[in-house]
Amino acid sequence: MGLQEFWFILIAVLFVGYFVLEGFDFGVGMLFPVLGRTDTRRRVMLNTIGPVWDGNEVWLITGGGALFAAFPEWYATLFSGFYIPLLLILVALILRVCAIEWRGKIDDDRWRARADWGIMIGSWVPAVLWGVAFANIVRGVAIDENKQVTSGFFALLNPYALLGGLTTALVFALHGAVFLALKTADEVRADAVKLAARLSVPTVVVAGAFVLWTQLAYGKGWTWILVAVAAAALLGVVGLTAVEREGWAFVLTSVAVIATVVLLFGSLYPNVMPSTIDDAYSLTIYNASSSPYTLKVMTWAAAIMTPVVLIYQGWTYWVFRQRISTKQIPPSIGLPLKTR
């Protein structure tokens, strides 16, 4: 295995980590209107991700940095051709960060309501658009001989990509519901378990259709294994949520996310962005990569720093592993809202 293959696999691993960890963060925010019927319940939901959500976003930052350094041609073509959806994702993530950080700064119901809208929008938009973006990457876009995407934004809204967006939204919502059932107690846990059970069936149908479409249109022989793993995991979630085994259900939603992301990257390889104009214009791990020396230096840096990051993040999850209940939430305390 050469350095190009190694970095392609590493970028896939980084996005796997991002979608597994940030996926339940998105799910928690997406479910605010359903499970967060009172301010206390919403604070419980936020506290389940409070110690970890910003650490989970590091996976995206690292993945983007690795993409830029290892495959600059891929990075340039992707961010120019997918400018609008990626910009919308970025704006939504910034909105979500501000809403989470500032929600409790002012003691006013209207302020918190606006922050809650920011959290919901900042969760729903990336949850949908990440699926749209990755589906288009696998499907291919109109890339010309100059490595420029010639199609517009609305060309990205094709049936396969829209199904991908619906899939990631449902999977993240289910992932978040199962996570809340795992991390909360009393009535929040009870409602999260019921919601996860209701979400599991439509998620299996939609995600199953997307995974099967991906395999039949773009997959390879060995990726059938990933289709089977994703399908078995989601079917297992249906049964486990019905009997309120949220721990194992969370494991299986994570397995389903992992199998789906690996299926997308496996279907893509050795391309990184296929061209629908001419296969000769497609970007591959070879014609889009940095120099061998750059990849070598990056490999040493990754070998040193990656274990440190993984150990620290694992320690964070261990420290904040306890369940949270509404009884543990103190009254809201913040600065009074200034009025004229």
Side-chain angles (χ1 to χ4, degrees):
M1 181 176 64
L3 289 176
Q4 289 95 341
E5 288 83 0
F6 171 80
W7 276 96
F8 180 80
I9 293 172
L10 184 56
I11 288 171
V13 170
L14 290 171
F15 275 100
V16 164
Y18 175 68
F19 287 133
V20 169
L21 299 176
E22 190 77 336
F24 65 72
D25 289 344
F26 289 148
V28 170
M30 294 163 70
L31 298 177
F32 254 43
V34 182
L35 297 177
R37 292 189 291 273
T38 65
D39 180 66
T40 301
R41 289 169 65 109
R42 288 190 291 273
R43 290 175 64 192
V44 167
M45 294 171 69
L46 273 182
N47 284 346
T48 62
I49 63 173
V52 298
W53 69 267
D54 48 355
N56 294 342
E57 290 191 342
V58 171
W59 289 81
L60 175 62
I61 297 170
T62 307
L67 188 65
F68 172 77
F71 300 101
E73 296 287 356
W74 183 9
Y75 183 94
T77 303
L78 175 65
F79 277 79
S80 60
F82 289 48
Y83 181 81
I84 293 179
L86 293 178
L87 177 63
L88 290 174
I89 289 173
L90 178 61
V91 171
L93 291 176
I94 293 173
L95 177 64
R96 177 171 163 266
V97 168
C98 294
I100 292 175
E101 293 287 353
W102 297 346
R103 184 183 188 276
K105 299 300 183 183
I106 296 177
D107 188 14
D108 180 74
D109 291 339
R110 291 174 298 169
W111 175 268
R112 286 190 286 269
R114 295 188 188 105
D116 293 342
W117 273 104
I119 294 169
M120 287 184 283
I121 294 171
S123 299
W124 272 98
V125 171
V128 173
L129 290 184
W130 277 124
V132 172
F134 268 87
N136 275 294
I137 293 172
V138 173
R139 175 181 178 269
V141 290
I143 302 174
D144 63 15
E145 66 275 13
N146 298 316
K147 300 179 181 178
Q148 297 291 323
V149 177
T150 59
S151 54
F153 170 73
F154 291 102
L156 301 176
L157 305 180
N158 53 79
Y160 175 68
L162 293 175
L163 181 61
L166 181 59
T167 297
T168 49
L170 282 172
V171 170
F172 290 160
L174 175 61
H175 198 36
V178 173
F179 176 77
L180 285 170
L182 181 65
K183 285 288 294 177
T184 60
D186 54 48
E187 70 267 18
V188 179
R189 176 189 175 273
D191 290 347
V193 168
K194 294 176 184 177
L195 180 60
R198 290 197 295 267
L199 283 173
S200 62
V201 175
T203 302
V204 168
V205 175
V206 173
F210 175 71
V211 167
L212 188 60
W213 189 341
T214 301
Q215 175 61 34
L216 293 176
Y218 313 105
K220 299 175 175 64
W222 67 271
T223 53
W224 276 109
I225 298 172
L226 300 169
V227 174
V229 170
L234 287 174
L235 289 172
V237 173
V238 175
L240 289 169
T241 53
V243 295
E244 300 186 7
R245 298 294 299 273
E246 61 270 18
W248 282 108
F250 182 75
V251 170
L252 290 187
T253 55
S254 301
V255 169
V257 172
I258 293 169
T260 303
V261 176
V262 176
L263 170 65
L264 294 174
F265 275 88
S267 301
L268 193 59
Y269 179 83
N271 292 321
V272 291
M273 284 194 74
S275 172
T276 56
I277 297 175
D278 190 327
D279 287 341
Y281 302 153
S282 296
L283 300 182
T284 70
I285 63 171
Y286 305 109
N287 65 18
S289 70
S290 295
S291 67
Y293 181 76
T294 300
L295 295 178
K296 186 176 181 179
V297 172
M298 289 172 55
T299 302
W300 279 108
I304 295 171
M305 295 305 300
T306 302
V308 176
V309 174
L310 291 176
I311 290 171
Y312 174 76
Q313 193 162 27
W315 174 81
T316 302
Y317 276 93
W318 174 256
V319 169
F320 295 100
R321 66 189 182 276
Q322 293 86 0
R323 291 181 182 267
I324 302 171
S325 72
T326 54
K327 298 176 182 178
Q328 298 171 299
I329 302 299
S332 297
I333 299 177
L335 298 175
L337 183 66
K338 293 181 179 180
T339 57
R340 295 181 180 179

